[in-house]
Amino acid sequence: MHLIMSEWQIQRRQRQIRLDAGSKFASGKVVTAKDTTALLEAVIHPGDRVCLEGDNQKQADHLAAALVNVDRTKVHDLHIVQSGIALPEHLDLFAKGIATRLDFSYSGPQSGPIARALNSGKIRLGAIHTYIELFARYFMDLTPHVALIAARSADREGNLYTGPNTEDTPTIVEATSFKSGIVVAQVNEIADKIPRVDIQGDQIDYVIAAPKPFFVEPLFTRDPAQITETQILMAMLALKGIYIEYGVQRLNHGIGFGTAAIELILPTYGESLGVRGKIATHWALNPHPTLIPAIESGWVKQIHCFGSEVGMDDYMRARSDIYFTGHDGSLRSNRVFCQLAGLYACDMFIGSTLQIDLEGNSSTVTSERIPGFGGAPNMGADAHGRRHPSSPWLKAGRELTDRPANIMRGRKLVVQLLETFGEKMMPAFVDKLASVEFAERMKLETVPIMIYGDDLTHIVTEEGIANLLLCRTKEQREQAIRGIAGFTNVGLARDPRQVDELRKRGIIRRAEDLGIDPLDANRHLLAARSMKDLVRWSGGLYRPPNKFRNW
């Protein structure tokens, strides 16, 4: 038997080489802002996997700007592995040749430029991931060599206070620090004492006080003044036909005006139905300002958050019975934990999309945009690993099959809430998703689908609700979708006889079937009809960003 002689400390030695090079620009762990680019040139090597923290909301913007300015002869061919591509600098890295390969989850405001960069060959795409999927790969085959992160404050030992917008930071640091990587943190300030230690200093190699606070996008703020009566009608349909029908208490809301309308009619329409305390009590949710009236009215018992929301800090501090907060009073968010809560502990996900096809597959990708997936595919997926029962889960499972079984399996409710026509009167229901053509043009091995049709249980439009759980054939499913697709080409191609039969069976339910008068769907049902109303509900604790202050 021959023993293979191996070297087992290569990564640690490489780490020490990087630390020695970076120490020239540091006093202990502290680096001045003007030396940031030089530090990055010292600790990042060509071909490294780099996580430049771009979260759903929080951005390590100072580090992004510094990385764009590195000498390309020293730093090049980087493999960027980060959840959010949100800043122009994130794409400038590829335009300059500093980075060449990308694995990501969400691109939001950069969805157009990223599509053009892919088309031009500036980016070699690994994969578009869900959040949990990408985070999981940090601990497998996409472990960062260098992580560039953001935090509220640090002390000189490198202990970090991440504050309300913790988001992805602990996961990134854990994967990098414990695999001999380098972690650089930009902070808003370096203090003698920080409010609480969110990440221990022995996991952080360098801290930099940035010239200005890191950027945070108020991504989940919706102005009630922009909610339409059509969206209110859909909210009423969803509330009565799904939330109450299934007794949903644990849930996640996607972003959008439709779900904001649901949140704002809980204290009004929901109260008139006598269901306070019976539905919508436990949430996996960013701190939506439009949920303030429901919280103040006693509807909500608990919320765990993916991230924070600009202007909500004081309100959350004062409502610690509702939110997860530290002993200092500030929110503790965590995207991985909240994604897991949404995947395994929630009984329902309800969100929106741009397109749905006749199988129920949905996508936000159009011919010129590739926004990625974010967390929707995890929120909107039936978790086969789930084992604990609940009434909504069991009811949905029973509806899925006619056959009695000794072994009963439940089903998560996955709902798409959308108007039949979207912006610029683009039809939401299509025979073929634009993402299919996009995948063909980009030569992608998989079509970028946000939620697969076999995970979808209900669709809600202004025309009514289609319960796909009750469909027994592909044809029934197709006609159920056509039956609530309105005056789109998909809707106009319905078979009226089959749609009437589906309605008799309760697979399609119109407003009148649920005892809802569409004329009752007016803005007076909204508990708050403006941003100023939300501030009043909060007792002045909510402080909207300036762009939302219209008074």
Side-chain angles (χ1 to χ4, degrees):
M1 180 177 179
H2 297 283
L3 294 176
I4 299 175
M5 302 302 293
S6 299
E7 184 63 63
W8 301 106
Q9 302 292 323
I10 295 174
Q11 292 177 5
R12 287 199 172 191
R13 286 208 305 273
Q14 286 292 322
R15 167 179 160 78
Q16 191 58 53
I17 290 171
R18 296 172 192 257
L19 286 174
D20 291 344
S23 66
K24 300 172 185 176
F25 307 97
S27 174
K29 293 189 175 185
V30 177
V31 177
T32 61
K34 66 180 178 62
D35 288 329
T36 305
T37 296
L39 173 73
L40 299 185
E41 290 174 346
V43 300
I44 299 175
H45 294 175
D48 273 351
R49 282 188 301 272
V50 175
C51 179
L52 170 58
E53 189 167 22
D55 298 344
N56 206 333
Q57 296 168 275
K58 178 177 68 173
Q59 307 299 323
D61 49 359
H62 171 69
L63 291 171
L67 186 58
V68 167
N69 287 324
V70 297
D71 183 342
R72 188 175 172 275
T73 64
K74 298 178 181 178
V75 180
H76 54 83
D77 293 309
L78 300 182
H79 181 179
I80 300 298
V81 289
Q82 68 192 55
S83 60
I85 304 296
L87 302 176
E89 289 88 347
H90 293 158
L91 291 175
D92 290 344
L93 293 172
F94 295 93
K96 289 189 168 187
I98 296 167
T100 55
R101 187 172 176 83
L102 174 65
D103 282 273
F104 78 109
S105 299
Y106 172 74
S107 62
Q110 300 302 322
S111 58
I114 204 170
R116 292 191 290 274
L118 285 167
N119 276 318
S120 66
K122 290 287 186 182
I123 296 176
R124 288 188 294 121
L125 183 65
I128 308 169
H129 303 72
T130 73
Y131 285 133
I132 298 178
E133 182 181 18
L134 180 61
F135 299 152
R137 291 190 70 188
Y138 286 169
F139 296 92
M140 295 297 288
D141 57 330
L142 292 182
T143 307
H145 296 103
V146 178
L148 309 177
I149 64 168
R152 281 279 185 101
S153 57
D155 62 21
R156 294 187 176 278
E157 299 301 314
N159 295 303
L160 297 186
Y161 169 59
T162 50
N165 287 92
T166 296
E167 300 190 46
D168 307 0
T169 315
T171 307
I172 299 167
V173 173
E174 178 88 6
T176 308
S177 177
F178 289 94
K179 205 67 186 68
S180 300
I182 298 293
V183 180
V184 182
Q186 77 168 72
V187 297
N188 297 348
E189 64 172 351
I190 296 174
D192 293 330
K193 184 176 176 60
I194 56 178
R196 68 174 189 240
V197 176
D198 288 323
I199 297 176
Q200 293 181 352
D202 60 1
Q203 299 173 38
I204 308 300
D205 298 300
Y206 302 102
V207 293
I208 300 165
K212 61 181 180 179
F214 58 75
F215 175 72
V216 182
E217 173 71 19
L219 191 63
F220 294 89
T221 298
R222 290 293 177 268
D223 186 347
Q226 297 186 43
I227 295 175
T228 66
E229 291 184 347
T230 299
Q231 290 161 345
I232 294 169
L233 174 60
M234 294 194 304
M236 295 168 71
L237 289 167
L239 196 61
K240 198 166 185 183
I242 301 177
Y243 290 61
I244 296 174
E245 186 81 17
Y246 291 88
V248 176
Q249 293 189 321
R250 305 179 302 180
L251 70 160
N252 166 255
H253 272 189
I255 189 172
F257 285 102
T259 46
I262 296 172
E263 293 160 14
L264 287 169
I265 68 170
L266 286 174
T268 57
Y269 184 62
E271 194 72 31
S272 73
L273 297 173
V275 289
R276 176 158 48 94
K278 299 177 182 178
I279 64 168
T281 56
H282 292 75
W283 300 70
L285 192 75
N286 275 73
H288 289 192
T290 44
L291 201 56
I292 290 173
I295 294 171
E296 296 300 306
S297 300
W299 280 76
V300 179
K301 292 184 178 179
Q302 186 166 292
I303 301 173
H304 188 260
C305 301
F306 307 96
S308 189
E309 190 68 0
V310 179
M312 286 288 285
D313 288 3
D314 290 343
Y315 180 76
M316 293 184 293
R317 186 184 303 274
R319 300 292 182 270
S320 59
D321 283 354
I322 301 296
Y323 296 97
F324 286 72
T325 58
H327 298 308
D328 67 310
S330 69
L331 179 75
R332 171 64 168 188
S333 61
N334 188 300
R335 195 167 307 283
V336 172
F337 291 162
C338 202
Q339 286 283 323
L340 289 173
L343 178 61
Y344 280 105
C346 284
D347 291 317
M348 184 175 75
F349 162 81
I350 180 166
S352 191
T353 187
L354 293 181
Q355 290 186 334
I356 290 184
D357 67 13
L358 291 172
E359 294 181 3
N361 299 307
S362 64
S363 178
T364 55
V365 171
T366 64
S367 58
E368 301 301 328
R369 295 176 62 230
I370 182 162
F373 302 132
N378 296 132
M379 301 294 100
D382 183 42
H384 287 189
R386 175 172 167 169
R387 291 297 181 268
H388 70 281
S390 67
S391 295
W393 187 74
L394 292 172
K395 178 178 172 63
R398 285 191 294 268
E399 287 187 348
L400 188 61
T401 178
D402 292 323
R403 300 185 302 274
N406 293 327
I407 300 177
M408 180 62 200
R409 186 172 193 165
R411 181 64 183 259
K412 184 179 184 179
L413 295 165
V414 177
V415 184
Q416 292 285 15
L417 178 80
L418 71 164
E419 296 176 64
T420 53
F421 286 90
E423 291 184 7
K424 300 179 181 178
M425 291 304 291
M426 293 297 294
F429 292 86
V430 294
D431 292 292
K432 183 180 180 181
L433 295 173
S435 59
V436 175
E437 296 174 353
F438 185 88
E440 292 169 353
R441 188 171 72 255
M442 296 299 303
K443 295 181 172 58
L444 301 178
E445 292 183 278
T446 58
V447 176
I449 301 295
M450 185 174 71
I451 294 176
Y452 286 105
D454 56 4
D455 275 321
L456 188 63
T457 64
H458 296 76
I459 304 173
V460 182
T461 73
E462 69 272 21
E463 280 225 311
I465 300 173
N467 184 343
L468 304 182
L469 289 168
L470 297 173
C471 296
R472 295 295 175 257
T473 66
K474 182 178 179 180
E475 185 178 19
Q476 287 179 2
R477 187 181 184 89
E478 177 181 319
Q479 289 300 322
I481 293 173
R482 291 187 187 276
I484 47 89
F487 290 97
T488 64
N489 289 337
V490 166
L492 293 172
R494 72 183 66 172
D495 181 330
R497 182 187 58 80
Q498 289 191 60
V499 169
D500 286 344
E501 182 60 31
L502 293 175
R503 187 176 176 187
K504 290 176 184 177
R505 290 180 52 197
I507 293 175
I508 292 176
R509 301 174 82 183
R510 310 291 187 202
E512 53 266 39
D513 300 330
L514 292 165
I516 295 172
D517 184 348
L519 295 178
D520 291 337
N522 62 71
R523 288 182 46 80
H524 291 291
L525 275 185
L526 299 177
R529 295 189 283 277
S530 68
M531 296 299 289
K532 192 172 184 179
D533 285 347
L534 292 176
V535 174
R536 288 196 192 102
W537 270 100
S538 76
L541 293 170
Y542 171 46
R543 301 180 181 183
N546 288 334
K547 69 178 182 178
F548 290 100
R549 289 181 175 270
N550 50 15
W551 67 92

